[in-house]
């Protein structure tokens, strides 16, 4: 048979015999690749390994150690989960089982309303291992809707999906189950188990195995609160035992670092039920750390040429009509308040008010770029079920800035913004940055193509200039402008999206903002939204988890605890504390009514950076014993030498974490 040429990801051509499959292409490249292959892509569509390739098609191989490969692994493991549940619980209904970030889930309904227990998860895991050991092949076939309905006659949720899709009313929720074109495909791995699925899958169950079932949670069918409540089993699956163990370890670490738990243990803040969901009160210690964070931000903004403004928490509905928020953001806003002179809303964003400040008088090109900055409180509606400590909260403070500039100033402004953002984040111990660049959705945008092009180029150039690794999210921008999102990696490798630099061609238009150009003409400024911490509250939560509660000295609510060995040393301890306070350090005395060892332990639990112990020798020599967090004890340090040391530590600012 004649050979055909396919195109590999590097652009090279490869000749393979006609009738070759994706697996054959992999084998032709190398036996290792063939062994590692789980699935492939042909002209951008993910397919099983046994799919034949056509002449001229673009072929790539999906291996287990890639995001796409893990996705296939996870989804295939979800099938095995469903198979095990159906075997162990006759009559179980299974609905959908997609891969998600780091894992997968599957939703079930057990006969008689029975619920899964912890023991059930063990039994299901054991059965899954048997299925994996049996190395059953995943065999794909395509069927007509009527055949699919009879195949799944005893599975009401599957029938619902088939009916919805075949009547043309399928949506995103169904997309894991059936292909885009409405083709109904099924995967069978034994006579007894078949699942509705678009694929692709690993070739056989033997390719799976590094998984763990994690928990059971309730989930409404299709997310509809009026629909039936199903039981969702969550699991995680990886390409190797090492990767699985690493992930489970990361989860353990994350649980230890849970900011809600640390906030409580360290007496930083709380979420009283009497206050209502998604709202926090800051205790004195949390408030100190937050104030330091905010002060640092204010100082940097001052140095960076920003002008500070304040705006109120609520505004007349007309303002949000003008800004467009009531048109495109009403779901994120709280219900209106009817007042004597009109309808008011809590503000979900500060931008409209900053536009009013720009528009409060005539502006000249000489004033641009005009950088307005506010620690602005906003209120956004979040569903009760989605609230999560400080990470998802209903009332929060944005370190929000809006920059009005000319089109010509845009590139320089974006470049310096990126520099500014990363330099501020570094102070908080973040060094590993990545970014996403969201570009124009060709179906939905305002502003000229030329403007979008220029802005997108400027954003990309700024990212390149700082050597920032970034992904382009094609078509993912909001209709009003392209944006950069900056992610940081924390101490245990998790990614957090923090800062955003977003262009806006819409609001200047809606507010009819203008400045007088050098030639006397009136021009429209470009507007940039920039949040650096994002939300101060969420940033604080991220910091708490990043540092595991052990804030660097400059941010620590209490920097030094001074412990007199006995009451005879108390007076001297007081002089040490006042010497430190005089230099601006946050020092406390812990008097001798408890044993020294116990007091030292308590100070360590509180994650205080420095514990100073003073006894007879210290009183005589004017020294202290220094017991630093995570360091070696040093005796006989003069008070001046200690002050120099802590001052250097504060200036350097990088000693936090465990
Ligand atoms: Zn599937
Ligand atoms: Zn804004």
């Amino acid at each position: 048979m004649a050979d055909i040429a396919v195109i590999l990801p590097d652009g090279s051509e490869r000749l393979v015999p006609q009738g070759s499959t994706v697996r054959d292409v992999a084998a032709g490249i190398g036996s290792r690749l063939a062994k590692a292959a789980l699935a492939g892509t042909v002209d951008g569509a993910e397919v099983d390994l046994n799919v034949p390739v056509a002449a001229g098609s673009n072929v790539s191989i999906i291996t287990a150690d890639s995001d796409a490969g893990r996705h296939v692994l996870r989804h295939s493991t979800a099938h095995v989960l469903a198979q095990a549940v159906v075997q162990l619980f006759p009559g179980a209904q299974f609905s959908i089982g997609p891969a998600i970030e780091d894992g997968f889930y599957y939703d079930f309904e057990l006969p008689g309303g029975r619920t899964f227990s912890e023991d059930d998860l063990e039994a299901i895991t054991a059965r899954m291992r048997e299925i994996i050991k049996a190395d059953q092949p995943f065999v794909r076939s395509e069927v007509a809707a009527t055949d699919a309905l009879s195949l799944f006659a005893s599975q009401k949720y599957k029938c619902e999906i088939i009916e919805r899709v075949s009547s043309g009313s399928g949506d995103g929720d169904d997309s894991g189950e059936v292909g885009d074109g409405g083709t109904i495909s099924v995967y069978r791995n034994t006579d007894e188990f078949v699942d509705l699925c678009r694929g692709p899958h690993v070739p056989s169950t033997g390719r799976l195995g590094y998984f763990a079932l994690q928990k059971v949670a309730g989930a409404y069918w299709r997310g509809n609160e009026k629909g039936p409540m199903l039981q969702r089993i969550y699991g995680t699956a990886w390409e190797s035992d090492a990767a699985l163990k690493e992930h489970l370890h990361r989860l353990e670490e994350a649980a230890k670092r849970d900011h809600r738990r640390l906030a409580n243990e360290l007496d930083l803040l709380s979420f009283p039920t009497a206050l209502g969901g998604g709202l926090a009160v800051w205790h004195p210690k949390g408030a100190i750390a937050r104030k330091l964070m905010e002060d640092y931000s204010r100082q940097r903004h001052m140095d960076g040429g920003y002008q500070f403004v304040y705006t109120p928490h609520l505004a007349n509905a007309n303002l949000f009509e003008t800004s467009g928020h009531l048109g495109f953001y009403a779901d994120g806003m709280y219900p209106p308040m009817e007042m004597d002179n009109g309808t008011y809303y809590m503000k979900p964003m500060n931008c409209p008010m900053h536009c009013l400040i720009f528009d409060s008088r005539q502006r000249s090109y000489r004033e641009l770029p005009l950088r307005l900055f506010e620690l602005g409180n906003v209120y956004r509606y979040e569903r009760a079920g989605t609230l999560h400590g400080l990470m998802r909260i209903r009332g929060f403070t944005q370190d929000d800035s809006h920059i009005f500039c000319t089109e010509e100033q845009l590139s320089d402004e974006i470049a310096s913004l990126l520099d500014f953002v990363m330099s501020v984040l570094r102070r908080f111990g973040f060094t590993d940055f990545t970014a996403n660049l969201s570009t124009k959705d060709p179906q939905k945008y305002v502003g000229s193509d030329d403007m979008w092009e220029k802005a997108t180029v400027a954003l990309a150039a700024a990212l390149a200039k700082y050597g920032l690794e970034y992904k382009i999210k094609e078509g993912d921008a909001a209709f009003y402008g392209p944006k950069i999102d900056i992610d940081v990696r924390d101490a245990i490798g998790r990614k957090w999206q923090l800062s955003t630099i977003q262009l806006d061609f819409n609001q200047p238009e809606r507010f009819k903002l203008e400045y007088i150009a050098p030639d006397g003409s009136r021009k429209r400024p470009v507007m940039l939204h920039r949040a650096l911490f994002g939300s101060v509250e969420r940033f604080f939560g991220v910091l708490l988890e990043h540092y595991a509660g052990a804030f660097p000295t400059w941010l620590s609510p209490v920097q030094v605890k001074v412990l007199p060995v006995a009451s005879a040393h108390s007076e001297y301890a007081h002089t040490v504390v006042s010497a430190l306070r005089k230099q601006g350090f946050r020092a406390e005395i812990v008097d001798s009514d408890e044993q020294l060892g116990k007091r030292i332990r308590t100070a360590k639990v509180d994650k205080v950076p420095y514990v100073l112990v003073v006894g007879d020798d210290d009183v005589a020599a004017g020294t202290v014993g220094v017991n630093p967090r995570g360091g070696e004890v040093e005796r006989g340090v003069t008070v001046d030498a200690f002050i120099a040391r802590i001052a250097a530590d504060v200036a350097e600012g990088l000693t936090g974490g465990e």
Side-chain angles (χ1 to χ4, degrees), residues 228-249:
M229 170 74 100
L230 306 179
Q231 291 188 77
R232 176 169 297 177
I233 297 182
Y234 283 99
T236 185
W238 294 81
E239 69 274 21
S240 67
D241 193 40
L244 171 66
K245 288 209 173 106
E246 201 186 306
H247 176 69
L248 294 177
H249 176 70

Side-chain angles (χ1 to χ4, degrees), residues 569-595:
H569 314 116
S570 183
E571 197 188 321
Y572 174 68
H574 275 286
T575 64
V576 173
V577 166
S578 39
L580 286 164
R581 288 193 178 162
K582 210 175 267 170
Q583 300 293 323
F585 298 108
R586 294 179 293 281
E588 281 179 2
I589 187 161
V590 187
D591 257 319
S592 58
D593 27 359
E594 274 182 324
Q595 277 194 329

Side-chain angles (χ1 to χ4, degrees), residues 104-177:
F104 59 88
Y105 67 76
Y106 218 117
D107 287 350
F108 300 97
E109 187 179 81
L110 295 183
R114 186 184 181 301
T115 52
F116 291 115
S117 69
E118 284 293 313
D119 288 349
D120 289 335
L121 288 191
E122 266 176 52
I124 296 166
T125 301
R127 180 57 62 96
M128 287 172 72
R129 299 226 177 274
E130 288 170 27
I131 296 167
I132 288 167
K133 206 165 160 222
D135 198 17
Q136 300 166 357
F138 281 94
V139 182
R140 178 192 173 93
S141 50
E142 287 179 7
V143 294
T146 46
D147 295 337
L149 284 173
S150 65
L151 196 56
F152 291 100
S154 63
Q155 288 294 335
K156 60 182 177 192
Y157 297 107
K158 295 290 176 191
C159 288
E160 208 183 305
I161 295 168
I162 297 163
E163 271 161 5
R164 203 170 35 245
V165 169
S166 56
S167 70
S169 59
D171 59 23
D173 284 357
D174 305 313
S175 63
E177 308 288 322

Side-chain angles (χ1 to χ4, degrees), residues 629-657:
R629 186 176 63 197
E632 297 292 315
V633 178
E634 229 180 297
R635 292 189 205 286
V637 179
T638 66
V639 173
D640 285 347
F642 175 70
I643 287 176
R645 174 170 170 182
I646 187 174
D649 180 358
V650 165
E652 182 201 352
L654 294 172
T655 55

Side-chain angles (χ1 to χ4, degrees), residues 376-449:
N377 293 97
V378 297
Y379 300 87
R380 294 185 189 171
Y381 176 67
E382 300 280 0
R383 297 214 311 204
T386 64
L387 297 172
H388 180 78
L390 294 174
M391 304 303 187
R392 211 176 250 262
I393 196 165
R394 285 174 168 166
F396 59 93
T397 312
Q398 283 184 306
D399 60 335
D400 206 3
S401 120
H402 293 97
I403 298 159
F404 302 90
C405 65
T406 68
E407 264 184 63
E408 296 71 39
Q409 290 167 333
L410 200 53
S411 314
D412 285 350
E413 195 58 26
I414 290 170
S416 73
L417 263 181
L418 203 58
D419 192 30
F420 181 75
V421 165
M422 290 196 294
S423 124
V424 172
L425 291 177
R426 280 203 180 89
R427 174 71 172 169
F428 295 92
F430 297 113
T431 50
D432 188 349
F433 306 103
T434 51
N436 290 308
L437 169 59
S438 300
T439 62
K440 188 172 76 183
D441 175 351
Q443 309 301 329
K444 208 180 160 203
Y445 66 99
V446 298
S448 70
D449 287 321

